[in-house]
């Protein structure tokens, strides 16, 4: 299983990258301000709590009196109650930010993915797209909602604690402050290495997601070819790499955290020894010493948290870059501003301005190469297909047959030349206008999870049940529904997994017929159907296609004898064209293809009869 080389995202911290999130963050800035305001209060409470402790020691314990305890206790309880309420509302606001920003990012990516051209999906595995939409988005939303707020709290808390310590006793404050650079250097050292391994873990996680997706979707191929051990070994190696990277990160954390705790304990010991002596000499009150000890124990945790959050922010930038890289992908095929203004876009179509296609198609000196290719697939290709004509396209694999219909459907655009639909360059109209008037039946059709009826109705969502069933009857897809336990209400499974390829093709046929498009494209659409069923469908198709322009890519040449025009394509050029009889009479390339295939089919039939007799 070949690994897809993902782009490396390890740029230094950049505010410009983070600023790209502002459109997603802006609608929820009110919740962010609430969270920040509440965290200011929470930091103040956390800083003041040791001072309450100091007051209690100096006024109640050392004085051996309870005078003033009730007012003190009431203030303390009110403060803790306010702190509890603040935590509740802060968590609620942060959760709201996380859920909404995450949802909006996912939605934006899903919408954008639907606008991208075929070439993006040709070069990007589904697993990597899935990792961006799910894992990366989740991490970004979490960092915005919790990371930034926690960082703000930590900064405010650390700054306030040092101010108070210097006000109480500058000498002791300096002792604790001298340990901070050691903590900072250790944190930078460890966090950089932890960050390196965490990035490796996330990259390997994307590869695992991709491999997992391919392993499930390609399970039939794996089983039929007996390559489960190879897939298992490849998957084991990738997960082992991720395990080693995660273990390395965990080991670094296992060293880093105790070292920080050691320094915290050292600071507390120094404060206790020096401060205890000052209390004995009555230079310092016992309550003040308790404040320093509390701060010495706690202060390094927010410093450590601050350093960790800074590392996570730098790391999270890679997630932002991945998501924004997807959102900034430009489709190779785009509507002009004029076309979008008149016809609308994929999500806001202006159907009232859509002209009905008659079906006249012209390829005018068309040359084409794929965006990631160097050689031309088609060169100086010319063709005129009048409305209503049935055109068959034949040729060997790689001759350019599917490229022709992909260009006609504007899934790709000519590198040179132009394509006219009803006399107008199709780039002057919208893609959705064209796609909505072309019916596709592919060699490997895709069915959505849902019922047979729902999958046929995708051809025209406002179709009645009777219209759905009539479309199915025309291409014998009603037999598929009859075989299933709940008829048309039977679930086809994920990607039609409960059906054979031939049954999926029949449902795809019915879906295309229900749409009643001006142009039909049949890409080896009967290749997975038995010969007897194919002959019946051919008769039905002949009736359905009458009056419609159609392009039929065929492997079995016996199925296209009734075509109005047969195009023989080789190396991206039409080398022969005409009716079936005309091409046979020429005795050229088509004649050789037909004769060779006729002999192969005859041999298969004789072999089958011999086995039946045996």
């Amino acid at each position: 299983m070949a690994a897809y080389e993902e782009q490396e995202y390890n740029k230094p911290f950049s505010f410009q990258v983070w600023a790209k999130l502002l459109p997603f963050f802006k609608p929820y800035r009110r919740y962010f301000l609430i969270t920040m305001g509440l965290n200011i209060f929470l930091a103040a409470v956390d800083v003041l709590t040791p001072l309450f402790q100091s007051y209690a020691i100096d006024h109640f314990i050392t004085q051996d009196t309870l005078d003033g305890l009730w007012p003190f206790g009431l203030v303390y309880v009110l403060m803790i109650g306010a702190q509890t309420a603040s935590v509740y509302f802060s968590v609620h606001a942060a959760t709201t930010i996380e859920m909404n920003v995450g949802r909006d990012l996912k939605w934006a990516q899903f919408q954008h993915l639907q606008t991208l051209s075929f070439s993006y999906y040709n070069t990007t595995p589904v697993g990597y797209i899935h990792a961006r939409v799910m894992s990366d988005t989740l991490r970004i939303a979490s960092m915005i909602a919790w990371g930034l707020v926690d960082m703000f709290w930590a900064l405010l808390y650390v700054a306030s604690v040092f101010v108070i310590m210097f006000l109480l006793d500058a000498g002791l404050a300096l002792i604790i402050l001298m340990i901070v650079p050691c903590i900072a250097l250790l944190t930078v050292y460890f966090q950089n290495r932890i960050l390196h391994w965490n990035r490796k873990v996330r990259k390997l996680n994307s590869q695992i997601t991709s491999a997992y997706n391919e392993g499930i979707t390609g399970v039939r191929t794996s089983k039929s070819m007996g390559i489960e051990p190879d897939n298992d070994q490849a998957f084991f190696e990738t997960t082992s790499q991720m395990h080693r990277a995660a273990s390395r990160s965990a080991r670094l954390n296992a060293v880093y955290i105790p070292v920080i705790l050691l320094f915290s304990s050292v600071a507390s010991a120094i404060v206790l020894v020096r401060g205890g002596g000052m209390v004995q000499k009555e230079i310092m009150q016992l309550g003040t010493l308790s404040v320093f000890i509390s701060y010495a124990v706690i202060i390094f945790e927010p410093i450590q948290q601050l350093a960790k959050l800074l590392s996570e922010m730098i790391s999270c930038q890679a997630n932002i870059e991945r998501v924004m890289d997807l959102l900034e992908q430009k489709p190779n095929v785009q509507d002009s501003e004029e076309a979008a203004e008149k016809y609308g876009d994929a999500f806001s179509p202006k159907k009232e301005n859509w002209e009905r296609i008659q079906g006249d198609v012209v390829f005018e000196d068309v040359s084409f190469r794929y965006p990631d290719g160097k050689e031309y697939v088609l060169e100086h290709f010319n063709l005129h297909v009048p409305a209503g004509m049935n055109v068959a396209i034949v040729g060997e694999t790689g001759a350019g047959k599917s490229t022709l219909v992909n260009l006609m459907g504007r899934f790709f655009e000519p590198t040179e030349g132009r394509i006219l639909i009803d006399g107008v360059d199709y780039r002057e109209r919208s893609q959705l206008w064209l796609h909505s008037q072309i019916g596709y039946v592919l060699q490997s059709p895709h069915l959505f999870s849902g019922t047979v009826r729902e999958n046929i109705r995708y051809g025209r969502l406002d179709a009645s049940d009777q219209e759905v069933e009539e479309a199915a009857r025309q291409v014998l897809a009603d037999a598929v529904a009859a075989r299933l336990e709940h008829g048309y209400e039977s679930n086809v499974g994920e990607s039609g997994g409960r059906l054979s390829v031939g049954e999926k093709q029949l449902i795809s046929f019915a879906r295309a017929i229900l749409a009643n498009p001006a142009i039909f494209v049949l890409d080896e659409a009967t290749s997975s159907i038995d010969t007897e069923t194919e002959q019946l469908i051919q008769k039905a198709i002949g009736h359905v296609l009458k009056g419609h322009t159609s392009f039929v890519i065929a492997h079995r040449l016996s199925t296209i004898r009734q075509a109005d025009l047969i195009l023989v394509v080789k190396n991206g050029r039409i080398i022969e064209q005409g009716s079936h009889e005309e091409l046979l009479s020429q005795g050229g390339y088509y004649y050789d293809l037909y004769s060779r295939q006729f002999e192969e089919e005859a041999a298969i039939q004789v072999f089958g009869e011999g086995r039946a007799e045996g």
Side-chain angles (χ1 to χ4, degrees):
M1 194 181 295
Y4 167 76
E5 276 302 316
E6 185 178 11
Q7 180 183 345
E8 292 285 349
Y9 296 95
N10 51 13
K11 296 178 182 177
F13 183 81
S14 168
F15 284 108
Q16 289 181 333
V17 173
W18 284 82
K20 294 178 180 179
L21 292 174
L22 286 176
F24 299 96
F25 169 75
K26 195 174 180 181
Y28 311 107
R29 59 186 180 277
R30 178 166 60 94
Y31 292 100
F32 188 76
L33 290 173
I34 290 171
T35 306
M36 297 296 264
L38 290 172
N39 270 270
I40 291 173
F41 173 75
L42 290 171
V45 171
D46 291 335
V47 169
L48 293 174
T49 299
L51 296 178
F52 271 81
Q53 173 185 305
S54 171
Y55 183 89
I57 291 171
D58 291 340
H59 289 79
F60 303 126
I61 297 175
T62 57
Q63 299 295 326
D64 195 21
T65 180
L66 296 178
D67 291 343
L69 180 62
W70 281 106
F72 172 84
L74 180 62
V75 172
Y76 187 77
V77 168
L78 288 173
M79 185 180 73
I80 297 302
Q83 183 186 38
T84 303
S86 297
V87 169
Y88 170 80
F89 288 111
S90 177
V91 169
H92 180 270
T95 304
T96 301
I97 295 169
E98 182 180 22
M99 294 299 104
N100 284 284
V101 170
R103 179 202 61 190
D104 292 353
L105 277 169
K106 287 184 177 74
W107 188 21
Q109 289 175 90
F110 184 76
Q111 279 193 315
H112 189 66
L113 282 166
Q114 294 179 82
T115 68
L116 295 179
S117 307
F118 273 18
S119 56
Y120 180 78
Y121 297 97
N122 286 344
T123 57
T124 310
V126 173
Y128 289 90
I129 298 174
H130 185 269
R132 281 161 173 74
V133 175
M134 300 304 295
S135 305
D136 290 333
T137 297
L138 182 65
R139 192 155 187 269
I140 292 168
S142 177
M143 177 55 70
I144 289 176
W146 303 100
L148 295 178
V149 172
D150 287 347
M151 189 179 295
F152 176 74
W153 173 89
L155 277 170
L156 195 63
Y157 179 83
V158 170
S160 301
V161 164
F162 275 114
V163 167
I164 291 175
M165 284 196 296
F166 270 99
L167 290 175
L168 292 174
D169 190 285
L172 279 180
L174 280 171
I175 291 172
I176 297 175
L177 190 62
M178 287 170 62
I179 298 176
V180 170
C182 301
I183 299 290
L185 289 172
L186 280 169
T187 299
V188 170
Y189 175 82
F190 277 97
Q191 288 300 324
N192 282 339
R193 280 150 185 78
I194 292 170
L195 177 60
H196 167 76
W197 290 107
N198 283 343
R199 276 177 169 164
K200 195 171 185 66
V201 167
R202 280 188 288 276
K203 183 176 179 179
L204 288 166
N205 182 60
S206 289
Q207 292 180 12
I208 290 171
T209 304
S210 180
Y212 206 78
N213 178 74
E214 289 184 356
I216 293 172
T217 56
V219 66
R220 292 184 180 179
T221 302
S222 298
K223 286 185 176 295
S224 64
M225 298 179 67
I227 58 173
E228 294 97 329
D230 298 308
N231 287 347
D232 185 63
Q233 182 62 30
F235 193 80
F236 175 77
E237 288 174 2
T238 308
T239 51
S240 296
Q241 288 178 38
M242 182 173 171
H243 175 266
R244 287 193 293 272
S247 298
R248 190 70 179 269
S249 175
R251 283 197 296 272
L252 286 167
N253 266 311
V255 175
Y256 169 63
I257 293 172
V259 168
I260 297 298
L261 291 175
L262 174 64
F263 274 90
S264 176
S265 300
V266 168
S268 300
I270 293 173
V271 168
L272 191 58
V273 170
R274 185 176 176 81
M278 294 171 71
V279 169
Q280 285 182 329
K281 295 175 182 178
E282 297 184 353
I283 301 173
M284 176 183 287
Q285 290 184 311
L286 183 61
T288 304
L289 177 61
S290 74
V291 172
F292 270 94
I293 293 173
S294 296
Y295 286 154
V297 170
I298 298 172
I299 189 66
F300 296 110
E301 184 178 339
I303 291 174
Q304 175 189 352
Q305 182 182 0
L306 194 59
K308 186 177 180 181
L309 286 169
L310 282 169
S311 295
E312 287 184 356
M313 275 192 71
I314 296 170
S315 174
C316 186
Q317 182 171 299
N319 300 96
I320 298 171
E321 288 169 353
R322 276 194 287 265
V323 169
M324 291 303 156
D325 180 57
L326 190 157
L327 289 173
E328 291 169 359
Q329 285 289 330
K330 298 295 183 185
N332 292 319
V333 178
Q334 297 186 63
D335 292 333
S336 65
E337 291 183 9
E338 295 79 8
E341 178 67 28
K342 180 179 179 180
Y343 297 95
D345 57 29
F347 303 104
S348 303
K350 298 178 181 178
K351 294 187 177 182
E352 65 276 8
N353 295 333
W354 290 8
E355 302 92 346
R356 175 67 182 174
I357 287 181
Q358 299 304 312
D360 186 90
V361 180
V362 176
F363 285 76
E364 193 175 273
D365 197 31
V366 170
S367 295
F368 174 73
R369 65 166 175 258
Y370 287 100
D372 54 347
K374 296 179 180 179
E375 296 182 359
Y376 281 96
V377 181
L378 293 177
E379 286 189 89
H380 305 294
F381 183 84
N382 291 280
L383 175 68
H384 178 210
V385 179
M389 177 176 279
N390 174 226
V391 179
I393 307 171
V394 301
E396 295 181 346
T397 302
K401 304 187 298 295
S402 295
T403 302
L404 274 176
V405 294
N406 283 334
L407 283 168
M408 187 277 300
R410 206 183 168 196
F411 294 116
F412 296 98
E413 287 182 341
T415 307
E416 298 171 14
R418 60 181 189 154
I419 296 174
L420 311 178
I421 304 290
D422 295 344
V424 179
D425 189 329
Y426 66 5
R427 284 173 285 205
E428 295 179 17
R429 290 167 169 164
S430 75
Q431 297 173 68
L432 188 61
W433 165 85
L434 179 61
H435 295 162
S436 66
Q437 301 187 66
I438 300 178
Y440 289 89
V441 184
L442 305 177
Q443 183 179 10
S444 300
H446 178 81
L447 297 188
F448 297 92
S449 297
T451 66
V452 172
R453 189 184 303 279
E454 288 169 343
N455 270 280
I456 296 175
R457 185 172 276 137
Y458 274 117
R460 183 159 53 87
L461 294 176
D462 60 353
S464 66
D465 288 349
Q466 291 74 20
E467 288 173 317
V468 168
E469 292 172 18
E470 176 58 31
R473 274 193 293 272
Q474 289 188 48
V475 290
L476 308 181
D478 57 333
V480 179
R483 182 186 68 79
L484 299 171
E485 66 277 15
H486 300 299
Y488 285 96
E489 306 309 322
S490 301
N491 199 298
V492 301
E494 186 178 4
S495 300
R498 295 187 60 201
L499 307 179
S500 68
V501 177
E503 288 172 328
K504 288 194 283 187
Q505 283 183 327
L506 293 176
I507 291 175
S508 181
F509 261 120
R511 182 165 61 195
I513 287 169
L514 183 65
N516 190 29
I519 300 174
F520 277 94
V521 174
L522 311 182
D523 189 349
E524 304 213 22
T526 58
S527 61
S528 298
I529 299 172
D530 62 86
T531 306
E532 185 179 347
T533 304
E534 182 182 48
Q535 290 173 353
L536 293 172
I537 291 177
Q538 287 296 332
K539 292 180 181 178
I541 290 175
H543 173 71
V544 170
L545 297 187
K546 193 169 291 182
H548 295 80
T549 304
S550 59
F551 293 83
V552 180
I553 298 175
H555 175 69
R556 295 181 193 166
L557 303 185
S558 58
T559 63
I560 58 165
R561 287 178 291 195
Q562 304 304 318
D564 298 324
L565 176 66
I566 298 174
L567 304 177
V568 184
V569 182
K570 185 178 181 182
N571 298 327
R573 295 179 182 273
I574 297 175
I575 59 171
E576 293 175 3
Q577 59 180 303
S579 66
H580 175 69
E581 289 77 13
E582 289 171 346
L583 292 173
L584 285 181
S585 64
Q586 292 175 14
Y589 188 76
Y590 179 81
Y591 175 84
D592 291 338
L593 280 177
Y594 187 81
S595 300
R596 187 163 64 245
Q597 195 173 106
F598 181 80
E599 290 171 1
E600 289 173 357
E601 290 178 358
I604 291 171
Q605 186 175 359
V606 170
F607 179 72
E609 291 173 355
R611 289 191 64 182
E613 291 176 5

